[in-house]
Amino acid sequence: MQKATIKDVSERSGFSITTISRVLNGNYPVKKETREKIMKAIDELNFSRNSSARNLRTKKSNLIGLVVADINNPYYSKIAKKIDDGLFEKGYNLLVCNTDESEEKEKRILSTLQDKDVDAIVISPAAKNIELLRQLTDAGTRIVLIDRNMGILDIPFVGSDNFSESKILTEYLIQQGHQKIMFVSGTDKAITAQDRLFGYKAALEENNLQFDEKNVVKGYYKQEDAYKNTYTFLTNNLKSDEPCTAIFSSNNLMTIGIIQAIHELNLRIPQDISLVSFGQLDSQEIIEPKVTCIKQNIEQLAKSTLEKTIEALDDNKSNIDSNIIRDSLEIGTSVKNLNK
Amino acid sequence: MQKATIKDVSERSGFSITTISRVLNGNYPVKKETREKIMKAIDELNFSRNSSARNLRTKKSNLIGLVVADINNPYYSKIAKKIDDGLFEKGYNLLVCNTDESEEKEKRILSTLQDKDVDAIVISPAAKNIELLRQLTDAGTRIVLIDRNMGILDIPFVGSDNFSESKILTEYLIQQGHQKIMFVSGTDKAITAQDRLFGYKAALEENNLQFDEKNVVKGYYKQEDAYKNTYTFLTNNLKSDEPCTAIFSSNNLMTIGIIQAIHELNLRIPQDISLVSFGQLDSQEIIEPKVTCIKQNIEQLAKSTLEKTIEALDDNKSNIDSNIIRDSLEIGTSVKNLNK
DNA sequence: GTGAAAGCGCTAACAT
DNA sequence: ATGTTAGCGCTTTCAC
């Protein structure tokens, strides 16, 4: 059974394809009676428009590309959900792409999205790939950066102030008497990873504490890597003269890996080692111990991203302002107060 | 700056558009020298194919529709990730759609996907909408059912044996001495919700325990509804003569809501009330108490789904076998043994 | 208010 | 090995 085309509807209803198209688009006056007859034919033939043909003519795909490291990260899946919720009713669909933090894959994704003529791309870039984004905007594709800024002035950004929040979180640890703080870092290429590390460093410096490169462990924003590397690090570090008393995890996924490593080493949080996380754990309310963290305002982030995307799709409003979402320090029970 | 077309490449390179197309598709012999010249022109013009035009001709979109209740549910986002991982290299992209368990929305989604000429749809149906799926298969769209079967014999299915697993989980509670077991159910229209309830009933019956409709509380597979309705139910129930001693949650999201309700009522698990869950919690390893559950083999499910999808896309292999994934009973510390 | 016809960018059958 | 051309299904200009 072949799909009915506008021509079939034309033949069945006796009107020209032009009129069918007008009924379909509803952007042109058509006699009521005519419309009804056509609607009937559409119904009987179970006709539905071919998007490819339509896109080809109109140069609009009604597709939004969402490019993130991993859709399996609740941080991103929440954004995905929100955008879909807000844009489905407007006729858009969401094309989800995972970079896996690979710069090379990101390139291929962006190229594919360009081929597919997506109307907009919402992206949390794996790397600072400015040229590619520029190419896309030149070709008319609207872009919204989330989570990871790139300092491109004419592209709107929605995300956290990673430097400041990270500094706040580190300062909290210092306040509680911690001086040797292990830092589990993200991917080198992500600007957030750099900013979070800078925030940590800045807090140390301001408190006259020595930054020690050896205490920085790479976790690549991945649970598994964080687990392995934390396990190895702690195994050695805890035997040393001045072991770390706390761990700073620079994202939610790695925090889980770190907790697993701590469990495996038969350590208790916070009695044996303290832990803070940049980014809350999903369903954190029911996790024991409650991890002290920078709680990212994901609801707000998702909402702003949706708004920015809608604006970006609107030819008349080209709002290129950035939107820095304020996060909050949420005190849990994962940090031991060493001052007592 | 307008996007370059195949015609531009033709003009720049001096070859006909056919030859360009052949170089692009690589399915036809082209002289090496010619190819190189053309590649150069493609590069210089930063040309990339227009998918709409291509789809229109070939009737292939290289799009896979993924239709689930909520991409924010880790169960589904893991599947999404796996499919994307496996299919991106083959040139496919994933169109993610959320039904929010709404039958009406599902209809609109399927209609949109049909318009977009998706090559295949991977769907966990919100309702038993057989006619619509039939329409799609008639039009040549390949379909893979996940999670929720519909008893359509010629459409492949990948998912759990909900009835049996649910029975096993209920039997475990009975073994531990529980007789009054609250059941938090999913959406009426989802077959999994029915099967899980049937499994629960069957276990009760086989153990000569009375099924009591009053102990079934609707949670609609949603965290928030489960939270509210459990809270209300427990508030009344615990004052009654014979209060429930255990709760059976029929999915992972609701389990979180239920735990929240329990916390709010200042009850302890398992001392005051026991809890089991159909479907594990995400990062369950680090949650206290560890919830006894049917641990769904999501890795395997995702893997099988990917395989089935690849098969479905292949015209030569039309494998319509179902693939029932074996889950496992994972004993945690959330159930009190009443026999002691 | 309605219709005829051009053409979006590409692929593939046919021709050379 | 390369080119010519028809046409996928739709929107849109122009004509009536």
Side-chain angles (χ1 to χ4, degrees):
Chain A
M1 191 175 117
Q2 270 302 310
K3 243 187 92 174
T5 74
I6 204 171
K7 203 175 153 208
D8 298 324
V9 180
S10 160
E11 278 162 12
R12 185 173 192 107
S13 65
F15 291 92
S16 76
I17 57 167
T18 309
T19 308
I20 315 296
S21 176
R22 284 179 183 141
V23 168
L24 251 24
N25 291 310
N27 54 1
Y28 216 86
V30 174
K31 215 205 291 180
K32 198 184 161 200
E33 208 179 324
T34 307
R35 187 201 320 284
E36 278 162 4
K37 280 182 190 159
I38 291 177
M39 288 307 278
K40 187 158 164 283
I42 286 177
D43 222 50
E44 286 166 358
L45 291 168
N46 188 32
F47 165 82
S48 79
R49 253 191 303 219
N50 178 314
S51 299
S52 300
R54 191 159 198 244
N55 297 345
L56 180 58
R57 264 312 302 232
T58 60
K59 308 230 170 294
K60 266 195 105 243
S61 64
N62 283 330
L63 248 30
I64 310 283
L66 177 68
V67 184
V68 296
D70 181 356
I71 191 60
N72 201 25
N73 185 338
Y75 180 87
Y76 293 127
S77 68
K78 275 191 188 113
I79 295 172
K81 183 61 172 36
K82 188 78 178 185
I83 297 179
D84 183 56
D85 276 357
L87 258 41
F88 180 77
E89 297 306 331
K90 292 187 192 290
Y92 291 95
N93 284 105
L94 205 59
L95 216 44
V96 173
C97 306
N98 303 283
T99 66
D100 293 314
E101 305 286 6
S102 152
E103 181 170 0
E104 203 268 320
K105 190 166 177 207
E106 181 167 277
K107 279 186 189 168
R108 297 207 320 278
I109 289 172
L110 289 176
S111 163
T112 308
L113 291 180
Q114 184 169 27
D115 291 0
K116 293 231 187 304
D117 254 338
V118 295
D119 297 331
I121 294 178
V122 178
I123 179 173
S124 170
K128 208 154 179 169
N129 224 322
I130 293 183
E131 203 199 332
L132 259 171
L133 293 185
R134 179 59 64 217
Q135 231 176 66
L136 281 160
T137 52
D138 282 351
T141 310
R142 312 311 172 94
I143 297 197
V144 176
L145 287 173
I146 52 171
D147 186 35
R148 302 174 185 178
N149 203 349
M150 293 172 68
I152 309 183
L153 291 176
D154 58 351
I155 297 186
F157 166 76
V158 184
S160 298
D161 178 348
N162 291 286
F163 176 82
S164 304
E165 306 289 359
S166 174
K167 189 154 165 268
I168 290 169
L169 188 56
T170 310
E171 277 162 355
Y172 174 77
L173 280 176
I174 297 172
Q175 258 172 39
Q176 300 292 307
H178 295 272
Q179 303 205 337
K180 298 274 175 193
I181 304 169
M182 171 185 173
F183 186 91
V184 185
S185 68
T187 45
D188 297 337
K189 295 205 165 148
I191 185 81
T192 54
Q194 296 167 22
D195 286 348
R196 289 173 197 181
L197 182 57
F198 287 150
Y200 160 84
K201 278 188 189 173
L204 291 182
E205 272 171 31
E206 282 187 17
N207 287 275
N208 301 314
L209 294 171
Q210 185 70 37
F211 167 71
D212 187 349
E213 188 74 57
K214 285 198 297 292
N215 289 337
V216 176
V217 171
K218 289 184 199 293
Y220 306 104
Y221 279 156
K222 290 182 179 168
Q223 180 174 336
E224 191 60 20
D225 288 324
Y227 165 74
K228 282 188 200 152
N229 297 343
T230 302
Y231 188 91
T232 310
F233 177 88
L234 286 182
T235 307
N236 296 319
N237 179 264
L238 295 179
K239 292 181 210 150
S240 69
D241 293 345
E242 284 190 308
C244 290
T245 58
I247 303 176
F248 182 117
S249 164
S250 43
N251 93 340
N252 57 349
L253 296 183
M254 297 197 300
T255 304
I256 296 171
I258 292 167
I259 295 178
Q260 288 175 318
I262 293 174
H263 280 356
E264 199 111 330
L265 290 163
N266 284 316
L267 300 172
R268 292 158 307 164
I269 306 171
Q271 295 93 329
D272 302 317
I273 192 142
S274 295
L275 174 66
V276 298
S277 171
F278 197 112
Q280 66 274 32
L281 298 181
D282 211 33
S283 56
Q284 137 142 321
E285 316 86 33
I286 62 166
I287 291 180
E288 260 326 305
K290 192 152 177 300
V291 177
T292 294
C293 65
I294 291 298
K295 181 174 180 178
Q296 294 189 278
N297 197 339
I298 302 182
E299 275 304 315
Q300 184 58 45
L301 175 87
K303 192 160 160 278
S304 292
T305 304
L306 173 59
E307 284 165 11
K308 279 263 179 281
T309 309
I310 291 174
E311 275 174 17
L313 288 169
D314 185 340
D315 291 324
N316 305 317
K317 296 186 219 159
S318 68
N319 182 346
I320 55 167
D321 294 348
S322 280
N323 198 336
I324 305 299
I325 307 294
R326 283 302 290 173
D327 299 329
S328 52
L329 175 64
E330 193 160 278
I331 308 290
T333 53
S334 66
V335 176
K336 185 176 178 181
N337 186 343
L338 298 181
N339 301 321
K340 285 185 193 164
Chain B
M1 188 177 119
Q2 271 302 310
K3 242 186 90 171
T5 74
I6 204 171
K7 204 175 152 208
D8 298 324
V9 180
S10 160
E11 280 161 11
R12 185 172 192 108
S13 65
F15 293 91
S16 76
I17 56 167
T18 308
T19 308
I20 314 298
S21 177
R22 283 178 185 143
V23 168
L24 251 22
N25 292 309
N27 54 1
Y28 219 87
V30 173
K31 215 206 289 178
K32 197 181 161 203
E33 207 180 325
T34 307
R35 187 202 320 283
E36 277 162 5
K37 280 184 190 157
I38 291 177
M39 288 307 278
K40 184 156 166 283
I42 287 177
D43 221 51
E44 286 166 359
L45 291 168
N46 189 30
F47 164 82
S48 79
R49 256 192 300 218
N50 178 315
S51 298
S52 300
R54 190 159 199 244
N55 297 344
L56 181 58
R57 262 311 302 231
T58 59
K59 308 227 169 299
K60 266 196 104 245
S61 63
N62 282 329
L63 248 31
I64 309 284
L66 176 68
V67 183
V68 296
D70 181 356
I71 190 61
N72 201 25
N73 184 338
Y75 180 87
Y76 293 127
S77 68
K78 276 193 187 109
I79 294 172
K81 182 61 171 37
K82 188 79 180 186
I83 296 179
D84 183 56
D85 276 356
L87 259 43
F88 179 77
E89 297 305 331
K90 292 185 191 290
Y92 291 95
N93 283 105
L94 206 59
L95 216 45
V96 173
C97 305
N98 302 284
T99 65
D100 294 314
E101 304 286 5
S102 153
E103 182 170 0
E104 203 268 319
K105 190 167 177 209
E106 181 166 280
K107 279 186 190 167
R108 297 206 321 279
I109 288 171
L110 289 177
S111 163
T112 308
L113 291 181
Q114 184 168 28
D115 291 1
K116 292 231 189 301
D117 257 337
V118 295
D119 297 331
I121 295 179
V122 178
I123 179 173
S124 169
K128 208 157 178 165
N129 224 323
I130 293 183
E131 204 199 332
L132 258 171
L133 292 186
R134 179 59 63 215
Q135 231 177 68
L136 282 160
T137 51
D138 282 352
T141 310
R142 312 311 172 93
I143 297 197
V144 175
L145 287 172
I146 51 170
D147 187 34
R148 304 174 184 178
N149 204 348
M150 294 172 69
I152 309 182
L153 292 177
D154 57 351
I155 297 186
F157 165 76
V158 184
S160 297
D161 178 349
N162 291 285
F163 175 82
S164 305
E165 307 288 359
S166 175
K167 191 154 164 268
I168 289 169
L169 189 55
T170 310
E171 277 162 355
Y172 174 76
L173 281 176
I174 296 172
Q175 259 173 39
Q176 300 290 308
H178 296 272
Q179 302 206 337
K180 299 274 175 193
I181 305 169
M182 172 184 173
F183 186 91
V184 185
S185 69
T187 44
D188 297 339
K189 294 202 167 151
I191 185 80
T192 53
Q194 296 167 23
D195 286 348
R196 289 172 196 181
L197 182 56
F198 287 150
Y200 161 83
K201 278 187 188 173
L204 291 182
E205 271 170 32
E206 280 187 19
N207 287 275
N208 301 313
L209 293 171
Q210 186 70 39
F211 167 71
D212 188 348
E213 189 74 56
K214 287 199 296 292
N215 289 339
V216 177
V217 170
K218 288 184 199 292
Y220 306 104
Y221 279 155
K222 290 182 180 169
Q223 179 174 338
E224 191 61 21
D225 288 322
Y227 165 74
K228 281 188 199 150
N229 296 343
T230 301
Y231 188 92
T232 310
F233 176 88
L234 286 181
T235 307
N236 296 317
N237 178 265
L238 295 180
K239 292 180 209 147
S240 69
D241 293 344
E242 284 190 308
C244 290
T245 58
I247 303 176
F248 182 117
S249 165
S250 44
N251 93 339
N252 58 347
L253 296 183
M254 298 198 299
T255 304
I256 296 171
I258 292 167
I259 294 177
Q260 287 174 319
I262 292 173
H263 280 356
E264 199 113 330
L265 289 162
N266 285 315
L267 300 173
R268 291 158 307 165
I269 304 172
Q271 296 91 330
D272 302 317
I273 192 145
S274 295
L275 173 66
V276 298
S277 170
F278 196 113
Q280 67 274 31
L281 299 180
D282 212 32
S283 56
Q284 136 141 322
E285 316 85 35
I286 62 166
I287 292 180
E288 265 317 309
K290 193 152 177 300
V291 178
T292 295
C293 66
I294 291 298
K295 181 172 181 180
Q296 295 188 278
N297 197 338
I298 302 183
E299 275 304 314
Q300 183 58 46
L301 176 87
K303 192 160 161 277
S304 292
T305 304
L306 172 60
E307 285 164 10
K308 279 261 181 283
T309 308
I310 291 174
E311 275 175 17
L313 288 168
D314 185 341
D315 291 324
N316 306 318
K317 298 187 217 159
S318 67
N319 182 347
I320 55 168
D321 294 348
S322 280
N323 198 336
I324 306 299
I325 307 294
R326 285 302 293 172
D327 298 330
S328 52
L329 174 63
E330 193 159 278
I331 307 291
T333 53
S334 67
V335 175
K336 186 176 177 181
N337 187 343
L338 299 180
N339 300 321
K340 286 185 191 163

